[in-house]
């Protein structure tokens, strides 16, 4: 992530400066509010690359991080995933599917009273380990479980 | 152009459960159509949930989230009547923002 740019955006109280940036096509207005999409991490082709992209490196396994996925998914296009982190000070949760063409599925940052808990529906191309990675107090933790997929959801 | 989201925010004790259904094709860029041509990637890249004017969840999403994504979150500190605003932006710059009220 381009931290300099973020700082500039956050500090840009002079709307003129901001308008100039938008006008120049340097940024889209919608991205001022939302976090910038982590292209490197999402486009990584392997789990190690995706983990590196979100700054996780090699996370430590934790039993306080609960990953709920089905043992067998009949339809890889819709696999329900629930992640609950009981690790104190969890600030973000990421979901990865190891054998998907792009393993990083989603990443959520929590603030202002949000509990470290997320449920989502993901696509899986084939039988694979699903990983949940939680960031708590600057450290990364992982929980993983294999989901058997009978019909893939990536190639269609 | 995108369909409105379905947002449900409900108090369960002191916890607010927020569930969102977004109407989006979430094309991965890997699927081929009947003619064998690759369907270009078209997917939601970022989403956010604001409750009572405060950012609660900031999410980034890749191609491997299911079509018509459903997300569930929980939070503490909200109360009945608080406004819930959910927004998303996709890789083509399309965006949508919908509101609900904590019930």
């Amino acid at each position: 992530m381009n931290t300099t740019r973020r700082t500039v955006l956050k500090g840009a109280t002079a709307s003129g400066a901001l308008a100039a940036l938008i006008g120049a096509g340097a940024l889209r207005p919608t991205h001022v509010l939302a976090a910038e999409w982590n292209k490197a991490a999402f486009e990584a082709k392997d789990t190690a690359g995706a983990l590196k992209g979100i700054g996780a490196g090699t996370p430590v396994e934790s039993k306080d991080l609960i990953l709920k996925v089905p043992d067998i998914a009949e339809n890889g296009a819709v696999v329900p995933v629930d992640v609950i982190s009981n690790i104190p000070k969890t600030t973000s949760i990421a979901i990865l599917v190891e054998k998907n063409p792009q393993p990083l599925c989603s990443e959520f940052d929590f603030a202002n009273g949000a509990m470290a808990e997320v449920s989502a529906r993901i696509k899986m191309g084939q039988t694979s380990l699903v990983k949940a990675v939680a960031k708590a107090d600057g450290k990364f933790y992982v929980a993983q479980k294999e989901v058997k997929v009978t019909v893939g959801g990536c190639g269609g | 152009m995108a369909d409105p989201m379905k947002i449900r925010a409900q108090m369960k004790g002191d916890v607010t459960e927020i569930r969102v259904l977004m109407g989006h094709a979430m094309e991965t860029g890997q699927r081929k159509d009947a003619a064998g041509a690759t369907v270009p990637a078209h997917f939601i890249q970022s989403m956010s949930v604001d409750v009572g004017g405060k950012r609660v969840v900031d999410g980034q999403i890749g191609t491997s989230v299911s079509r018509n994504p459903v997300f569930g979150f929980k939070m503490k500190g909200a109360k009945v009547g608080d406004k819930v605003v959910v927004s998303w932006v996709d890789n083509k710059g399309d965006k949508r923002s919908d509101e609900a009220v904590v019930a």
Side-chain angles (χ1 to χ4, degrees):
Chain A
M1 191 180 288
N2 188 335
T3 33
T4 323
R5 202 181 114 179
R6 294 305 307 161
T7 317
V8 168
L9 291 182
K10 279 177 185 159
T13 43
S15 58
L18 202 54
L21 274 172
I22 295 164
L27 57 105
R28 280 179 291 177
T30 47
H31 281 192
V32 178
L33 290 173
E36 196 164 341
W37 197 60
N38 191 343
K39 192 170 171 16
F42 279 101
E43 291 189 351
K45 300 273 189 264
D46 54 43
T47 309
L51 286 174
K52 196 173 156 221
I54 58 172
T58 44
V60 188
E61 285 217 30
S62 169
K63 59 181 187 314
D64 292 326
L65 184 60
I66 298 156
L67 170 66
K68 288 185 199 162
V69 286
D71 293 328
I72 297 172
E74 284 184 10
N75 180 0
V78 185
V79 183
V81 178
D82 287 306
V83 185
I84 300 165
S85 172
N86 293 323
I87 304 165
K89 295 186 188 171
T90 301
T91 51
S92 81
I93 289 176
I95 302 169
L96 293 91
V97 181
E98 195 155 69
K99 287 187 183 161
N100 269 6
Q102 294 166 352
L104 183 58
C105 176
S106 52
E107 191 188 8
F108 299 95
D109 293 333
F110 305 107
N112 292 316
M115 295 164 76
E117 194 169 327
V118 61
S119 63
R121 299 194 308 202
I122 63 170
K123 289 186 196 125
M124 292 183 66
Q126 55 179 300
T127 298
S128 166
L129 273 178
V130 174
K131 288 175 191 269
V133 176
K135 183 184 182 187
D137 211 6
K139 293 197 184 92
F140 287 89
Y141 301 89
V142 66
Q144 55 189 13
K145 205 174 158 195
E146 192 183 60
V147 178
K148 282 192 166 53
V149 175
T150 46
V151 181
C154 275
Chain B
M1 60 165 275
D3 294 331
M5 282 178 256
K6 283 182 187 157
I7 305 169
R8 202 182 66 197
Q10 228 162 9
M11 294 298 294
K12 294 248 171 92
D14 62 344
V15 175
T16 313
E17 284 187 7
I18 302 167
R19 284 188 77 79
V20 191
L21 188 151
M22 303 170 178
H24 202 284
M26 296 300 285
E27 284 293 348
T28 60
Q30 314 212 11
R31 199 171 67 89
K32 289 185 170 54
D33 64 16
T38 304
V39 180
H42 186 204
F43 58 100
I44 295 174
Q45 284 189 316
S46 43
M47 56 89 57
S48 61
V49 181
D50 290 34
V51 178
K54 283 185 184 162
R55 178 62 45 95
V56 177
V57 179
D58 217 332
Q60 298 190 35
I61 299 170
T63 52
S64 57
V65 167
S66 297
R67 178 189 169 88
N68 298 333
V70 172
F71 296 108
F73 304 102
K74 284 182 184 173
M75 69 171 293
K76 283 182 176 169
K79 57 187 186 301
V80 172
D82 278 356
K83 191 161 85 170
V84 179
V85 182
V86 183
S87 314
W88 58 253
V89 183
D90 72 19
N91 65 324
K92 291 184 179 174
D94 284 344
K95 58 190 171 196
R96 169 137 206 126
S97 191
D98 284 294
E99 292 177 8
V101 172
V102 176

